[in-house]
Amino acid sequence: MNEPPEDPRLSQAHHEAVNRRRRIVVQYDPNLEIGLDLTQRSGTEASNDAIGSTVRMVGHSELTGQSVFVYEDDPETQIDAIIWDMGGPTGMATYRSKVLDPFPHASLRRWWDEGLDLVAALVDACRERELEVFWNHRISEADFLPDSGGSDPEDEINPVKIAHPDWVIRDIHWYGDWNYAVPEVRALNLEVLEELAANYDFDGFQIDFSRHVPCLPPGEEWAHRDAMTDFVRSVRHMTLDVERERGRPFLLGVKVPRNEAGCRADGFDVETWARQSLVDSFTVGCRSIDVDLDFFRRITDGRDIKLQPTLETHHATAGYKFSSVEFLRGVFGNFWQQGADTVQTFNWSAALQQERGEFPHRFDATRVELQALKEIGSPEMLAGRDKMFAIERRGGFPWSGGFFARNDTAPLPVTLANHGRPEELEVRICDNLRALADKLDEVMLRVVLHGAREGDHFEIRLNGAALGPSLDDHEWKDPQILTPGPQTATCSLIQREIDPDQKLLRMDYAVPPRLCRVGANRVTVRIVKRVPHESREHIAVEKIEIHVRYAGLRK
């Protein structure tokens, strides 16, 4: 198929908008805050002019009494754009709409009666701060009631789904998620986006496929891929029509699974979307630290399409809820090293928790995230700062019935063979530690095992070189490692207590910097000898991390 290198309908101004400098793009998910009497909490009379500074919310149900723009107003943060993820349950609107019924919340209705348009006010507040502003469209948002904390309802509440039960897939959510193989579903969602594009001054849309899959018939997703391509194409044509009418670019991004296999499994033909220039950006992943930017770079070669890996911290990658700033530096440093054009944060806090109170972990996490927002948008800023590089763990997100966001193919935990066969795993390092050896205080490889006993012996290699001896701790505890039980939703690990009976083995190995490579590094773990044990007792590798400490003040 001979296709032009770019869609001829893309103007020079459109290409210039695609190539704007974006260091960090923040996707805020304030759905559980929508409808709260925010102006009353602020003590300020409701008005469109005031609401941008008086909306007081963070990402979820925790209110801080601070502006939602507190991080953006910090001159040291590197935020250049906000994606507002506040559509409410698909089929109901949190804004004035002629397409959808209103989200039934008393405060929202009162605001509308008083002429207050929250979405318009937030857009205006972004403009005042010279921030780009986008709207996130969840491909099939969960249905929830006001003040429900996002919990599934006990009765059908979505008027469109009640009227058209054959439009949904009843899989993860009992009431059903949209089935985009149904033409009427595609038409409805296009109409929703068309209304938003006409009524608000957005710089563009992000179609978010992470919430929720399946959105095509389960087991037949790839066979129905053309239906989703048809929807993406129709949105693209609509936004370009809006662009011509208003005389200003209207960009379109899509949030897709972290690799080729995931896109195929969920029915997203991203190669066609790239080849036909249907999108301006791919937001890659959701809660994954391991994304295949090489694949997306190949399919966008020669196209003006940006790659934007993202990381969520509410439904965090398993084992790293309330992570350290060193962990975040390592994740985003690896994103940049793999060729990211910009980076995105999702479900991060929007303001500092002011008191430790009942949630001390969250108190600390808000400070970690603020510090990260001052660093992760710049590879140069990350250079020479302490980092931690980890290998992904499975589980922690039960709200997906497909591939996206589950991390089910992550390598850890992995059970070691008693007969000594090595397990080979890969950890990425963005820094050239070999060249920076004289600037380092320490490089340390940490291996955490479940089921090991004193007297068991192991061999650990990094890129083929044996490491050791190790500094061992047989009483190590980690409240986020739930083995032998299942990995629960990471969002629920807010204040989990440490199990006093938990016994993990932590082994720390000093690593000569010369052994480390930029990019992929091979770690092999094998059992050399086990003490007597029950036949059904196994040893599992739970975590592998490389900790890097630099000399000097840049910590």
Side-chain angles (χ1 to χ4, degrees), residues 214-226 264-268 401-402:
C215 52
L216 292 169
E220 303 174 5
E221 288 93 339
W222 190 245
H224 290 277
R225 63 190 181 277
D226 290 344
R264 290 183 66 89
D266 288 335
F268 309 143

Side-chain angles (χ1 to χ4, degrees), residues 323-338:
S323 55
S324 65
V325 71
E326 290 81 9
F327 172 81
L328 295 175
R329 289 170 182 160
V331 172
F332 285 90
N334 278 336
F335 288 167
W336 288 113
Q337 191 275 325
Q338 292 177 79

